[in-house]
Amino acid sequence: MSAETFDITILGANSAVPAHGRHPSSQYVRIGQDALLIDCGEGTQMQLKKFRCKLNRIAYIFISHLHGDHFYGLIGLLSSMQLQRRERLLTLIGPPGLDEIITVQLKHSQSALEFPLRFLAVQPTAKELLVEEPSYRVYGFPLQHRIPCTGFLIEEKTPFRKLIKEALEADRPPVEVIKALREGRELPDPETGEVRYPLSRYAYPSPQPRSYAYCSDTKYFPELADMIRGVSLLYHESTFSQIDAQRALETGHSTTRDAAFSALRAEAGELLLGHFSSRYVDLAPLLAEAQTIFPSSHLSEEGKTFIPKVR
Ligand SMILES: [Zn+2]
Ligand SMILES: [Zn+2]
């Protein structure tokens, strides 16, 4: 089964505080029938509304770490889901302690969530599978920040095959055979067991499944590349310009050059910069710095949607 829909809408691209019209970290990823919310900084639910992202589509919320700019929007969003009478299961994946924070907030406001909420505490020390769905998988992997921080890798499963039109027109296989061929399967004849319509005659080779890596707050470390090698689209924080590299070192963050080197090393298809420090009003110089090392770099712009490309 293929995910087909796979895109990432930027909801927040700033670091610690909201500034210059930019919000703290959050992204809305649509994959297949689901949406995944990655990080939920303050103001996320307003951004979701502004960019018409459906709350009920969200199946999972991933929180990378417990710095406020990555999760202070969570209790507000959960409360709104309750007010909207959500019924669907929501899985919250984040650092140990996050469930306690939510529970305390609900307790003292004498509120309760009536929809099923499942919490999965994660603090991976190596790349590990967190979510297995029919059309996609999500892995977690460790980053290197001031407090434990997790990156997330979303991979679609084998995409639909493109079919060879001429062969289909010549032999006209039944509809169920065409459906199976698209999914990369061969249907044996129910009576003879023989495969009359081989995949190799009717379908082009399967394209590489697409993937998206979210590297939240982290300093540069070379081993990161091994956990996300060949990723189609890499989001890597780039809080600072190269000029402020010393500040990046002191705070456990990355510069534009660090992000670009990670993309190069991981052989990523494209790079998305984000988590910008409020000290920069104009982000064009940051983009230029990254592009000198990794030309396919882009800025995370709020409201903009990015699609991982087949490679
Ligand atoms: Zn942050
Ligand atoms: Zn942080």
Side-chain angles (χ1 to χ4, degrees):
M1 222 170 140
S2 161
E4 293 215 287
T5 299
F6 190 9
D7 58 31
I8 298 100
T9 300
I10 308 300
L11 304 172
N14 215 49
S15 61
V17 292
H20 322 301
R22 305 194 298 257
H23 296 71
S25 292
S26 186
Q27 300 185 357
Y28 183 82
V29 180
R30 295 191 309 160
I31 185 152
Q33 301 301 309
D34 288 340
L36 322 177
L37 188 74
I38 314 184
D39 278 341
C40 187
E42 194 181 342
T44 293
Q45 59 167 327
M46 274 76 98
Q47 295 290 85
L48 284 164
K49 213 170 198 148
K50 184 172 172 189
F51 303 124
R52 297 202 168 88
C53 303
K54 290 197 182 92
L55 291 197
N56 208 40
R57 189 169 174 154
I58 300 174
Y60 295 90
I61 299 179
F62 296 87
I63 301 295
S64 63
H65 66 304
L66 291 181
H67 279 153
D69 56 323
H70 296 260
F71 84 99
Y72 281 173
L74 190 54
I75 191 68
L77 177 64
L78 294 176
S79 304
S80 295
M81 285 173 164
Q82 172 61 29
L83 290 171
Q84 287 184 1
R85 298 202 167 84
R86 181 183 173 107
E87 289 177 357
R88 182 180 180 187
L89 168 72
L90 178 70
T91 304
L92 176 62
I93 297 179
L98 181 59
D99 55 338
E100 219 177 294
I101 295 171
I102 300 294
T103 305
V104 165
Q105 286 174 308
L106 291 171
K107 180 185 156 196
H108 291 287
S109 63
Q110 297 184 17
S111 320
L113 302 177
E114 282 157 32
F115 58 88
L117 177 67
R118 185 167 59 127
F119 177 65
L120 181 62
V122 293
Q123 206 148 277
T125 49
K127 186 175 171 181
E128 70 178 49
L129 181 68
L130 303 178
V131 170
E132 173 95 55
E133 287 285 347
S135 61
Y136 64 93
R137 292 187 188 92
V138 185
Y139 297 86
F141 52 88
L143 295 170
Q144 294 190 7
H145 191 39
R146 304 199 301 279
I147 59 171
C149 187
T150 301
F152 302 104
L153 174 68
I154 303 161
E155 271 180 9
E156 68 177 352
K157 292 189 180 171
T158 314
F160 282 134
R161 297 285 191 103
K162 232 180 134 192
L163 300 180
I164 303 168
K165 229 172 119 193
E166 298 73 26
L168 290 181
E169 278 170 7
D171 305 342
R172 301 195 171 275
V175 179
E176 60 273 18
V177 171
I178 296 180
K179 192 173 168 274
L181 290 167
R182 266 199 98 209
E183 291 168 3
R185 293 181 296 118
E186 289 171 333
L187 268 196
D189 186 285
E191 276 161 31
T192 64
E194 149 202 354
V195 175
R196 221 177 122 192
Y197 303 100
L199 202 54
S200 56
R201 175 165 161 75
Y202 300 96
Y204 292 102
S206 180
Q208 275 292 98
R210 296 169 299 165
S211 54
Y212 176 62
Y214 177 84
C215 296
S216 190
D217 295 8
T218 189
K219 66 174 189 183
Y220 175 81
F221 64 105
E223 300 78 18
L224 171 62
D226 302 330
M227 297 183 282
I228 53 169
R229 181 143 337 269
V231 67
S232 318
L233 177 62
L234 165 64
Y235 166 86
H236 192 294
E237 73 119 296
S238 51
T239 309
F240 296 104
S241 152
Q242 197 48 36
I243 302 156
D244 297 312
Q246 188 53 36
R247 189 86 190 108
L249 268 183
E250 290 160 8
T251 55
H253 283 295
S254 295
T255 65
T256 49
R257 278 169 63 93
D258 293 334
F261 276 122
S262 282
L264 258 191
R265 219 185 155 93
E267 298 158 55
E270 292 184 278
L271 170 66
L272 201 48
L273 305 169
H275 197 267
F276 306 115
S277 164
S278 304
R279 67 182 63 199
Y280 313 115
V281 181
D282 180 14
L283 300 174
L286 274 77
L287 178 62
E289 281 177 14
Q291 283 176 334
T292 55
I293 296 157
F294 193 82
S296 301
S297 299
H298 312 273
L299 292 173
S300 291
E301 263 175 61
E302 295 177 12
K304 205 165 167 183
T305 297
F306 295 86
I307 302 175
K309 291 189 188 130
V310 176
R311 305 184 69 191

